[in-house]
Amino acid sequence: GILMEDNKNNNKNKWYTLQVHSGSEFAVKKQIEALIYNGESFDGGTISRILVPSEEVIEYKKGIEVIKLVPIYKAYAFIECSLTTGLQMKIQNIPKVGKFVSEGRNPVHISEEDINKILSHNQENKAPRLKVDFEEGSEIRIIEGSMANFIGTVKSFNPQTGELHLGVNILGRDTPVEIHYSKVALSN
């Protein structure tokens, strides 16, 4: 049996892409982590890691700042495993799992280079990113404060501070206004 063991260790686990239902990425990750935790082997196949690269985004809900963890690649999870047919079946039978990204019948593994790119995108430790983005020239409506209901044109936006510089038409004059983006809404 010693030879067999050696072969197993040389056969480094490979990364595969798993299609999952959008919005279920973290739920699927939990299910697969449970399989890893139980250390089960499925006709020789084993899982070493499951990854849902994610980032924190700041959203405003009813004026309250909410930080949410969201998947960077919607509807995908990445799984490091030694894949056997048994393991493939087991994973694809998990609720909300679609299938492995395959060529024909065979799941395609991800190149080292690509998985490193994916791993480096995983920004669990980076600062939250604003979900909003205001393009220069777009029109927005002020929804709070003394200028509520005025329409402004975006001159610039600083995502770090959340400050918007607007040009607001007041009595026929373009008036510069600085305002926090939580106090505006897209005018359409």
Side-chain angles (χ1 to χ4, degrees), residues 78-91:
F78 301 93
I79 186 165
E80 189 183 24
C81 59
S82 62
L83 198 58
T84 56
T85 311
L87 181 57
Q88 184 180 347
M89 289 302 150
K90 177 77 183 171
I91 291 170

Side-chain angles (χ1 to χ4, degrees), residues 139-152 166 168-170 179 183-187:
E139 289 205 334
I140 54 174
R141 188 166 54 83
I142 298 173
I143 53 174
E144 255 182 54
S146 58
M147 302 189 75
N149 293 321
F150 276 92
I151 301 287
L166 305 178
V168 178
N169 186 333
I170 300 174
I179 190 166
K183 296 189 163 87
V184 302
L186 294 172
S187 71

Side-chain angles (χ1 to χ4, degrees), residues 1-186:
I2 289 168
L3 274 173
M4 290 295 292
E5 276 314 310
D6 279 356
N7 286 344
K8 255 197 190 131
N9 294 341
N10 296 341
N11 176 12
K12 238 178 72 191
N13 286 357
K14 293 186 163 59
W15 284 95
Y16 296 90
T17 309
L18 196 58
Q19 292 174 319
V20 299
H21 294 209
S22 187
S24 310
E25 297 88 351
F26 296 122
V28 166
K29 181 178 186 227
K30 272 209 178 83
Q31 299 255 34
I32 290 175
E33 280 171 346
L35 294 181
I36 298 172
Y37 184 74
N38 295 336
E40 290 176 65
S41 161
F42 306 93
D43 77 10
T46 54
I47 308 167
S48 46
R49 278 198 285 178
I50 166 101
L51 179 70
V52 173
S54 46
E55 59 179 352
E56 290 186 328
V57 297
I58 298 172
E59 290 181 355
Y60 275 83
K61 291 218 162 98
K62 299 192 174 109
I64 296 167
E65 198 174 280
V66 182
I67 296 182
K68 275 177 61 175
L69 197 61
V70 299
I72 296 171
Y73 304 96
K74 294 252 179 294
Y76 289 102
F78 301 93
I79 186 165
E80 189 183 24
C81 59
S82 62
L83 198 58
T84 56
T85 311
L87 181 57
Q88 184 180 347
M89 289 302 150
K90 177 77 183 171
I91 291 170
Q92 289 181 174
N93 283 332
I94 292 172
K96 311 275 191 210
V97 168
K99 56 185 185 16
F100 281 89
V101 171
S102 306
E103 274 171 16
R105 281 220 167 127
N106 304 322
V108 196
H109 66 83
I110 306 168
S111 72
E112 195 97 354
E113 191 186 340
D114 285 347
I115 195 64
N116 288 335
K117 268 188 213 144
I118 291 166
L119 291 169
S120 72
H121 276 186
N122 195 24
Q123 342 171 287
E124 279 169 358
N125 306 319
K126 293 192 191 157
R129 178 180 67 79
L130 289 178
K131 189 175 183 183
V132 288
D133 195 20
F134 294 97
E135 283 183 31
E136 234 176 281
S138 59
E139 289 205 334
I140 54 174
R141 188 166 54 83
I142 298 173
I143 53 174
E144 255 182 54
S146 58
M147 302 189 75
N149 293 321
F150 276 92
I151 301 287
T153 306
V154 177
K155 302 283 190 215
S156 69
F157 174 51
N158 179 342
Q160 270 67 50
T161 62
E163 287 300 315
L164 274 164
H165 288 258
L166 305 178
V168 178
N169 186 333
I170 300 174
L171 303 175
R173 294 183 55 183
D174 197 30
T175 309
V177 171
E178 275 186 44
I179 190 166
H180 191 264
Y181 80 94
S182 60
K183 296 189 163 87
V184 302
L186 294 172

